[in-house]
Amino acid sequence: MAMVSVGILANILFFYDEQKNGKTDTIAKKDVIMLIILLTYTAILSVITYTDLLSLFSVLGTIAWLISVWIKDVKKYKVIAIFTAIFWLVFNIYALSISGIITQIILVIAAICGLVVHIKNENKKPQKAEDKVEV
């Protein structure tokens, strides 16, 4: 639940920022500050909720997710999403959460499929006329 609160806070901050400043494809100073705040909050919560090493997989999943949405690159987001889902899958296995395990298995499959489709679509893009070389 503590790590879910990080996601809630992050989404509120991202929504407020996008409403105030519009959507951007570049990382600004404010984005770095938001990431530092969110990672600090995550670190504080991880210390409070720590029980053993396996309990840190929820923290790893949260950190991976934060970085993936912060980085603002769709392909990198999709790659990191695979790791995010795997971290959460391991945590849900540790927590013996059947619904969490099923959900994360679906998310791992969806993340892999999303990355494969992205790569296929990326490779299908037509070349610009100036990029074509005729022999």
Side-chain angles (χ1 to χ4, degrees):
M1 183 64 184
M3 292 304 116
V4 171
S5 76
V6 174
I8 293 169
L9 177 61
N11 284 319
I12 290 169
L13 288 174
F14 296 152
F15 178 77
Y16 176 76
D17 177 55
E18 190 173 315
Q19 292 297 312
K20 184 179 176 189
N21 302 310
K23 194 170 184 173
T24 63
D25 292 334
T26 58
I27 297 172
K29 184 177 181 179
K30 65 176 175 50
D31 298 318
V32 174
I33 292 168
M34 276 197 298
L35 181 64
I36 291 169
I37 290 168
L38 291 167
L39 289 174
T40 303
Y41 179 58
T42 304
I44 292 167
L45 290 178
S46 68
V47 169
I48 294 169
T49 61
Y50 176 83
T51 55
D52 57 26
L53 271 175
L54 289 175
S55 72
L56 292 177
F57 275 93
S58 66
V59 177
L60 292 173
T62 301
I63 290 170
W65 175 78
L66 282 173
I67 291 170
S68 72
V69 295
W70 176 80
I71 209 157
K72 298 184 181 188
D73 180 299
V74 175
K75 188 174 182 181
K76 290 176 185 173
Y77 169 82
K78 290 181 180 186
V79 169
I80 298 171
I82 295 168
F83 293 101
T84 301
I86 291 171
F87 290 144
W88 277 103
L89 175 61
V90 171
F91 176 76
N92 282 304
I93 292 169
Y94 159 74
L96 301 174
S97 170
I98 301 300
S99 61
I101 293 167
I102 293 168
T103 301
Q104 292 308 317
I105 289 171
I106 293 168
L107 287 174
V108 168
I109 293 167
I112 292 170
C113 290
L115 179 61
V116 168
V117 168
H118 181 83
I119 291 170
K120 282 184 179 180
N121 288 339
E122 200 174 56
N123 292 335
K124 284 183 185 177
K125 288 183 182 175
Q127 291 182 344
K128 296 177 186 173
E130 60 269 12
D131 292 342
K132 291 182 182 178
V133 178
E134 293 189 30
V135 182

